[in-house]
Amino acid sequence: MPGRGLQVACWRGFHCSHTMKYHQRAAATPRRAIMYVPGYDDRKANKAATLTIDSIVLDCEDGVAINKKEEARVNIPKLLARTDFGSKDRFIRVNSRDTGLTEDDVSSILASNNLPDGLLLPKVNSVDDINWFCDLAARNGNLKSLNRPMILGVMVETAIAMLNLKEITSFKSNTFDLQCLIFGADDFLAEIGASKTENAMELMYARQHVILHAKAFGLQAIDMVYNNYKDLIGLQRQAIEGAKMGFTGKQVIHPGQIDIVQESFSPSKEQIEWAKALSIAFEDHQQQGKGAFIFRGQMIDKPLLLQANNILSLINNVNGSHTSS
Amino acid sequence: MPGRGLQVACWRGFHCSHTMKYHQRAAATPRRAIMYVPGYDDRKANKAATLTIDSIVLDCEDGVAINKKEEARVNIPKLLARTDFGSKDRFIRVNSRDTGLTEDDVSSILASNNLPDGLLLPKVNSVDDINWFCDLAARNGNLKSLNRPMILGVMVETAIAMLNLKEITSFKSNTFDLQCLIFGADDFLAEIGASKTENAMELMYARQHVILHAKAFGLQAIDMVYNNYKDLIGLQRQAIEGAKMGFTGKQVIHPGQIDIVQESFSPSKEQIEWAKALSIAFEDHQQQGKGAFIFRGQMIDKPLLLQANNILSLINNVNGSHTSS
Amino acid sequence: MPGRGLQVACWRGFHCSHTMKYHQRAAATPRRAIMYVPGYDDRKANKAATLTIDSIVLDCEDGVAINKKEEARVNIPKLLARTDFGSKDRFIRVNSRDTGLTEDDVSSILASNNLPDGLLLPKVNSVDDINWFCDLAARNGNLKSLNRPMILGVMVETAIAMLNLKEITSFKSNTFDLQCLIFGADDFLAEIGASKTENAMELMYARQHVILHAKAFGLQAIDMVYNNYKDLIGLQRQAIEGAKMGFTGKQVIHPGQIDIVQESFSPSKEQIEWAKALSIAFEDHQQQGKGAFIFRGQMIDKPLLLQANNILSLINNVNGSHTSS
């Protein structure tokens, strides 16, 4: 993807002034769906390259059995070299620190001349894990050849990670650009001994905790996997719920999940129409000296304008970013 | 409102002993509804003065368009001078720190001899914002003429504020008496990119996070605005829900919302009857040496007595505080 | 219960490697139900001894009226001496620090040669309260006669405790082995001025906050009391909900609640069958080099295996631990 620079802008528009110091990194590149593909599996990777999806993740971690780990980490640079993934963001997910496999992953993947757009570090428990990984990558890879920081996503999937989330999400570095906070719900549920239910009420706290921390530091917040890949109605319900909560995207595990997820994280026609009309009405009332006014039965003031602006920015990003490279 | 001293008491009664150090400031003045009135709008202010409502807020911030800001801050002291708001708490909401307008607000408002009962500082992101504001007010206003600390309410409406909430709510000063923590849901939703839904499930974490921090430090917790001012059934549902969660009051944006909100934050007849009967039964059983006993199908011990005492204290405050000045 | 050593194992199996440093203390002893019995009440204690329940708590605190406190603390050592509680865990709940009664409780109870298996400290607000209690116990009791640390459970029931929960749950000592974090919902509701509703939505944040902190440090998380002891359907619904959220057990206040609660915190036949089948399928697929695969309509990878392993470990513990002493 030659010439693809770092796309960084604040999609929240003018609203950001007072917190700009916290989220200069907020990414305008939409990542409504990110799909995992086992790093050794050329067939699935080639298929993925043909799909309309914002991001793909070539996986070395949980989607790869222990006896395929070496094959995956050797195959991924070749995949990146020969496959045209179009405008998709190409991430690689390495194995987590506790496995002892991360160093081999990094050596193989970052030594290549075909670097991905970003890296995902799973099972991050503390900012110390991120620092450890960045040091490892700096020692082993050829990141210096990049004319930009490497995009980084971190996955939080343990109880202790949730308790350390403020320091995790406020991570800063010159070499890595932390853009995504990804919620690994299945590992999290396993660790806290919980069971996934229909409405995922047992994850209410954790999901909103993740959103809150991501947004406080301008990161994208990526929601949990919906495991039952045949249940598209349940998928849609959960995706829309996540979007309304403030997630910016969702992990997918099957091509059949992509369209529903990407649509759920895009503004609807009704939302766009409402946002445009409100934006005009707000401007009119400001000129008349009215800070608050009634619009379609709701009392409107600046915060609702900001919500409208969010919708308009999002639709611009979704339409613009994946046709430009 | 001459002679109105600082009303400070712990409405939790004897329960407080072990945490008294944290909430000496807990206010007994009920603030079940607080209503915003644009600071430049004499007609609305005069109307508000005639209403039965616990608190009004003369607004310089989001209810006032940018070209009316000066008019609002000049008009407010005149309004306070000539208008009899009865026993209502009179707050002024200044513009937030990031706007660059706060200093002018403070200069105009606090230079007056007609000081309000309290000030609301919106979009507080950290305790540093509160300290900055208090310094500003001390330099510019005539707070020293007061024989009491100025009552302060802070609004939290950003993600970073939620992460800094413990230090915000534990703020202490000799000049300002922090009594209210107000949740600005619409700005918060805009910042985290969320959408308000019917049951507001996307705000579950944030609302309960606000209540928890407020109550840990003896502050009143004031719930979100219900924007659809014509939907009184929805308003009532959300107000009752907030009251049951532990909020002590709710922001309102229209006179038609006041009665429902104030009623929702007052104990019902059934609750009062239950509380009185339980209180008597508890005393009886204590004298018989029973710490736990069965009352109307429930196993009762001290914590349920405390809930009964809350109800009885609340009804006393509501009946008493607004007839005394 | 001679010869009963400290049962410490990680029921999460191999999943723990990366967080083992945080929860070496995770207890394998199931405490699905813990029931309070007033410390002065021999009849109830004798009855409790005959019941099939994981843990009983001889109470000095809220279940004991103020004029029975002395009787309770004197009676408890005698009860422990003469009563065979079988394999049950025997806890004693002392009065909280703020009452001024704890020292007398400790002097009476820990001076005895008939020590309980564990102590419960209620209304803990900070780790300082735990340290204070441990010092008190070390000075007054004969804990040195034990060949193991004393098991400790702490109850959190105030707003400030929730804000200090990370430091509370990371408490460590050589003399006490913190194993249980118990949520005192009724006191908590009283303090935050909330009201218990049918679905307990007002406690969503607090309950999941407790679970998260307990699990981050390897503690058991014990859910709230269901006060309406005649409503077994409501009890079951709440117990199952708590188990699915990640609680490991629940407080009970009536013998009629025990069976439903213990069953709710045990894996169902369907869960056990699913877990066994998935475990076998996972192993097969690993050998074929597949890290992710489809099983009964779900995409499975390592996290779901961990959930299956949890179920299998739990059923082993429940079957094993209470027949061995």
Side-chain angles (χ1 to χ4, degrees):
Chain A
M1 207 177 309
R4 180 164 187 171
L6 181 64
Q7 297 180 326
V8 172
C10 179
W11 61 273
R12 274 167 285 192
F14 75 85
H15 180 226
C16 292
S17 57
H18 69 286
T19 52
M20 187 60 92
K21 57 185 177 293
Y22 297 115
H23 54 70
Q24 7 358 24
R25 298 166 311 196
T29 307
R31 296 189 182 107
R32 297 166 298 175
I34 69 170
M35 186 174 75
Y36 297 98
V37 176
Y40 62 82
D41 195 328
D42 287 350
R43 189 183 61 78
K44 285 189 179 167
N46 290 334
K47 171 77 183 298
T50 69
L51 300 171
T52 300
I53 183 170
D54 291 346
S55 301
I56 59 140
V57 181
L58 301 172
D59 193 15
C60 297
E61 200 222 9
D62 282 351
V64 176
I66 193 75
N67 60 12
K68 290 279 203 176
K69 296 287 188 192
E70 179 63 13
E71 190 179 333
R73 68 169 71 97
V74 169
N75 191 54
I76 286 172
K78 298 179 192 166
L79 259 176
L80 288 178
R82 73 169 173 258
T83 312
D84 180 4
F85 286 99
S87 65
K88 293 174 192 64
D89 255 355
R90 303 154 311 157
F91 281 91
I92 297 173
R93 179 165 73 169
V94 298
N95 286 286
S96 61
R97 184 180 187 178
D98 64 301
T99 60
L101 301 172
T102 328
E103 192 152 3
D104 287 343
D105 294 340
V106 164
S107 300
S108 175
I109 289 160
L110 294 189
S112 157
N113 287 324
N114 298 287
L115 294 176
D117 298 303
L119 296 173
L120 294 193
L121 182 62
K123 292 193 185 59
V124 165
N125 287 317
S126 67
V127 73
D128 183 55
D129 288 347
I130 312 181
N131 285 321
W132 170 85
F133 176 71
C134 292
D135 287 350
L136 186 68
R139 284 199 312 276
N140 286 283
N142 60 357
L143 293 179
K144 285 174 193 160
S145 70
L146 285 176
N147 58 355
R148 58 166 178 87
M150 174 63 78
I151 295 170
L152 181 63
V154 296
M155 303 189 66
V156 287
E157 9 191 3
T158 58
I160 193 72
M162 294 293 167
L163 303 191
N164 292 331
L165 206 48
K166 191 174 177 185
E167 74 173 23
I168 289 172
T169 47
S170 58
F171 168 82
K172 277 180 195 164
S173 131
N174 293 323
T175 322
F176 280 89
D177 181 31
L178 180 58
Q179 292 195 2
C180 307
L181 182 66
I182 302 165
F183 178 42
D186 289 306
D187 262 305
F188 179 75
L189 286 168
E191 203 197 46
I192 69 167
S195 306
K196 210 182 255 183
T197 64
E198 179 72 16
N199 62 8
M201 200 59 83
E202 68 285 349
L203 291 170
M204 182 64 64
Y205 180 108
R207 288 167 86 195
Q208 297 190 5
H209 190 73
V210 163
I211 292 167
L212 183 62
H213 283 78
K215 298 306 174 79
F217 296 99
L219 310 182
Q220 294 178 328
I222 312 291
D223 202 6
M224 59 199 283
V225 165
Y226 192 79
N227 299 81
N228 187 340
Y229 72 100
K230 286 187 178 170
D231 174 14
L232 299 182
I233 289 170
L235 171 69
Q236 185 177 43
R237 189 186 41 68
Q238 192 181 79
I240 289 173
E241 181 192 64
K244 284 181 184 294
M245 272 188 200
F247 281 109
T248 55
K250 191 173 179 70
Q251 301 163 79
V252 302
I253 44 155
H254 193 278
Q257 296 184 316
I258 297 172
D259 287 353
I260 284 172
V261 167
Q262 299 208 148
E263 196 180 306
S264 300
F265 284 91
S266 307
S268 69
K269 280 183 190 172
E270 292 73 21
Q271 284 177 299
I272 296 167
E273 190 278 331
W274 174 85
K276 286 181 178 168
L278 186 147
S279 185
I280 292 167
F282 189 86
E283 197 48 51
D284 286 350
H285 283 84
Q286 279 283 312
Q287 287 174 7
Q288 298 165 36
K290 290 183 187 166
F293 61 96
I294 291 163
F295 177 77
R296 300 183 184 177
Q298 275 199 311
M299 187 66 78
I300 304 290
D301 62 2
K302 206 168 144 189
L304 279 139
L305 174 70
L306 300 175
Q307 291 176 33
N309 286 348
N310 278 348
I311 291 166
L312 299 177
S313 303
L314 186 53
I315 199 69
N316 286 337
N317 289 338
V318 168
N319 291 336
S321 80
H322 289 295
T323 56
S324 64
S325 66
Chain B
M1 208 176 309
R4 180 163 187 172
L6 181 66
Q7 297 181 324
V8 173
C10 180
W11 60 272
R12 274 167 286 193
F14 74 84
H15 180 227
C16 292
S17 57
H18 67 287
T19 50
M20 186 59 91
K21 59 184 174 294
Y22 298 114
H23 55 69
Q24 11 351 28
R25 298 166 311 195
T29 306
R31 297 189 182 107
R32 296 166 299 173
I34 69 170
M35 186 174 74
Y36 296 98
V37 176
Y40 62 83
D41 196 329
D42 287 350
R43 190 184 60 79
K44 284 189 180 166
N46 291 334
K47 171 79 185 297
T50 69
L51 301 169
T52 301
I53 182 169
D54 291 346
S55 301
I56 58 140
V57 180
L58 301 172
D59 194 15
C60 297
E61 201 222 9
D62 283 352
V64 176
I66 193 77
N67 60 10
K68 290 279 203 176
K69 296 288 188 191
E70 179 62 15
E71 190 179 331
R73 68 169 72 96
V74 169
N75 192 54
I76 286 172
K78 297 178 192 166
L79 261 175
L80 289 177
R82 73 169 174 259
T83 313
D84 179 4
F85 287 99
S87 65
K88 293 174 191 66
D89 255 356
R90 304 154 312 155
F91 281 91
I92 297 173
R93 180 166 72 168
V94 298
N95 286 286
S96 61
R97 183 180 188 179
D98 63 301
T99 61
L101 302 171
T102 328
E103 192 152 3
D104 286 344
D105 294 341
V106 164
S107 300
S108 175
I109 289 160
L110 294 190
S112 158
N113 287 323
N114 297 288
L115 294 174
D117 299 303
L119 296 173
L120 294 192
L121 181 63
K123 293 194 183 60
V124 165
N125 286 316
S126 67
V127 74
D128 184 55
D129 288 347
I130 312 181
N131 285 321
W132 169 84
F133 176 72
C134 291
D135 287 350
L136 185 68
R139 283 200 312 276
N140 287 283
N142 60 358
L143 294 179
K144 284 174 191 159
S145 70
L146 287 176
N147 60 354
R148 57 164 178 88
M150 173 63 77
I151 295 171
L152 181 64
V154 296
M155 303 189 65
V156 286
E157 8 192 4
T158 59
I160 193 71
M162 295 293 167
L163 303 191
N164 293 331
L165 206 47
K166 190 174 177 184
E167 76 174 19
I168 288 172
T169 47
S170 58
F171 168 83
K172 277 180 195 164
S173 132
N174 293 323
T175 323
F176 280 88
D177 181 31
L178 180 58
Q179 292 196 2
C180 308
L181 182 66
I182 302 166
F183 178 42
D186 289 306
D187 262 304
F188 179 74
L189 286 169
E191 204 197 47
I192 69 167
S195 306
K196 209 181 254 183
T197 63
E198 179 72 16
N199 62 8
M201 202 59 84
E202 67 286 348
L203 291 170
M204 183 63 65
Y205 179 108
R207 288 168 87 195
Q208 297 190 4
H209 190 73
V210 163
I211 292 166
L212 183 62
H213 283 78
K215 298 306 175 79
F217 296 99
L219 309 182
Q220 294 179 328
I222 313 290
D223 202 5
M224 60 199 281
V225 165
Y226 191 78
N227 299 81
N228 187 339
Y229 72 98
K230 287 187 178 170
D231 175 14
L232 299 181
I233 290 169
L235 171 70
Q236 186 176 43
R237 190 186 39 68
Q238 192 181 79
I240 289 173
E241 181 192 64
K244 284 182 185 293
M245 271 188 199
F247 281 108
T248 54
K250 189 173 180 70
Q251 301 162 80
V252 302
I253 44 154
H254 193 279
Q257 296 185 317
I258 298 172
D259 287 353
I260 284 172
V261 166
Q262 299 207 148
E263 196 180 306
S264 300
F265 285 91
S266 306
S268 68
K269 280 183 189 172
E270 292 73 21
Q271 285 178 297
I272 297 166
E273 189 278 331
W274 175 85
K276 286 180 178 168
L278 185 146
S279 184
I280 292 167
F282 189 88
E283 198 48 49
D284 286 351
H285 284 85
Q286 281 282 315
Q287 288 175 6
Q288 298 165 37
K290 290 184 188 167
F293 61 96
I294 291 162
F295 176 76
R296 301 184 184 176
Q298 276 198 309
M299 187 66 77
I300 305 289
D301 62 3
K302 205 169 146 189
L304 279 138
L305 174 70
L306 299 175
Q307 292 175 33
N309 285 350
N310 278 347
I311 291 166
L312 299 176
S313 302
L314 185 54
I315 199 69
N316 286 339
N317 289 336
V318 168
N319 291 338
S321 77
H322 289 293
T323 55
S324 63
S325 66
Chain C
M1 207 176 308
R4 179 163 188 172
L6 181 65
Q7 296 181 325
V8 174
C10 179
W11 61 273
R12 275 167 285 193
F14 73 86
H15 179 227
C16 293
S17 56
H18 67 286
T19 51
M20 187 59 92
K21 59 185 174 293
Y22 297 114
H23 54 69
Q24 11 350 29
R25 297 166 310 193
T29 307
R31 296 188 182 108
R32 296 166 299 174
I34 68 170
M35 186 173 74
Y36 297 98
V37 176
Y40 62 82
D41 196 328
D42 287 351
R43 189 186 59 80
K44 284 189 180 167
N46 290 335
K47 172 79 185 297
T50 68
L51 301 170
T52 301
I53 182 169
D54 291 346
S55 301
I56 58 140
V57 181
L58 301 172
D59 193 15
C60 297
E61 201 222 10
D62 283 352
V64 176
I66 194 74
N67 61 12
K68 290 280 203 175
K69 296 289 187 190
E70 179 63 15
E71 190 179 332
R73 70 169 69 97
V74 169
N75 192 53
I76 287 172
K78 297 179 193 165
L79 260 176
L80 288 177
R82 73 168 173 258
T83 313
D84 179 6
F85 287 98
S87 64
K88 294 174 192 65
D89 255 354
R90 304 154 310 158
F91 282 90
I92 296 173
R93 179 165 73 168
V94 297
N95 286 286
S96 60
R97 184 180 187 179
D98 64 301
T99 60
L101 301 171
T102 328
E103 191 152 4
D104 286 345
D105 293 341
V106 165
S107 300
S108 175
I109 289 160
L110 295 190
S112 157
N113 287 324
N114 298 287
L115 293 174
D117 299 302
L119 296 174
L120 294 193
L121 181 62
K123 293 193 183 59
V124 165
N125 287 315
S126 67
V127 74
D128 183 57
D129 288 348
I130 311 180
N131 285 322
W132 169 86
F133 176 72
C134 291
D135 287 350
L136 185 68
R139 284 199 312 276
N140 287 283
N142 61 358
L143 294 179
K144 284 175 193 159
S145 71
L146 285 177
N147 59 354
R148 57 163 179 90
M150 173 62 78
I151 295 171
L152 180 64
V154 296
M155 302 189 67
V156 287
E157 9 191 3
T158 59
I160 194 70
M162 294 293 167
L163 304 190
N164 293 332
L165 205 49
K166 190 174 176 184
E167 74 173 23
I168 288 172
T169 46
S170 57
F171 168 83
K172 278 180 194 164
S173 131
N174 293 324
T175 322
F176 280 89
D177 181 33
L178 180 58
Q179 292 196 2
C180 307
L181 181 66
I182 301 165
F183 178 41
D186 289 306
D187 262 304
F188 179 74
L189 286 168
E191 204 198 44
I192 69 167
S195 306
K196 209 182 254 184
T197 64
E198 179 72 17
N199 62 9
M201 200 60 83
E202 69 285 349
L203 291 170
M204 182 63 64
Y205 179 108
R207 287 167 87 195
Q208 297 190 3
H209 190 73
V210 163
I211 292 166
L212 183 62
H213 284 78
K215 298 306 174 80
F217 296 99
L219 310 183
Q220 294 179 329
I222 312 291
D223 202 5
M224 60 200 283
V225 166
Y226 192 78
N227 300 81
N228 187 340
Y229 72 98
K230 286 186 177 169
D231 174 14
L232 299 182
I233 290 169
L235 172 69
Q236 186 177 43
R237 188 186 41 68
Q238 191 180 80
I240 289 174
E241 181 192 63
K244 285 182 184 293
M245 273 189 199
F247 281 108
T248 55
K250 190 172 180 70
Q251 300 163 79
V252 302
I253 44 156
H254 193 279
Q257 296 185 317
I258 297 172
D259 288 352
I260 284 172
V261 167
Q262 300 208 148
E263 195 179 306
S264 300
F265 284 90
S266 306
S268 68
K269 278 183 191 173
E270 291 73 20
Q271 283 177 299
I272 296 166
E273 190 279 331
W274 174 84
K276 285 181 178 168
L278 186 146
S279 183
I280 292 167
F282 189 87
E283 197 48 51
D284 288 350
H285 284 84
Q286 280 281 315
Q287 287 174 7
Q288 298 165 38
K290 291 182 187 166
F293 62 96
I294 292 162
F295 176 76
R296 301 184 184 176
Q298 276 199 309
M299 186 67 77
I300 304 289
D301 61 2
K302 206 167 145 190
L304 279 139
L305 175 70
L306 299 175
Q307 291 176 32
N309 285 349
N310 279 347
I311 291 166
L312 300 177
S313 302
L314 186 53
I315 199 68
N316 286 339
N317 289 337
V318 168
N319 291 338
S321 78
H322 289 293
T323 55
S324 63
S325 65

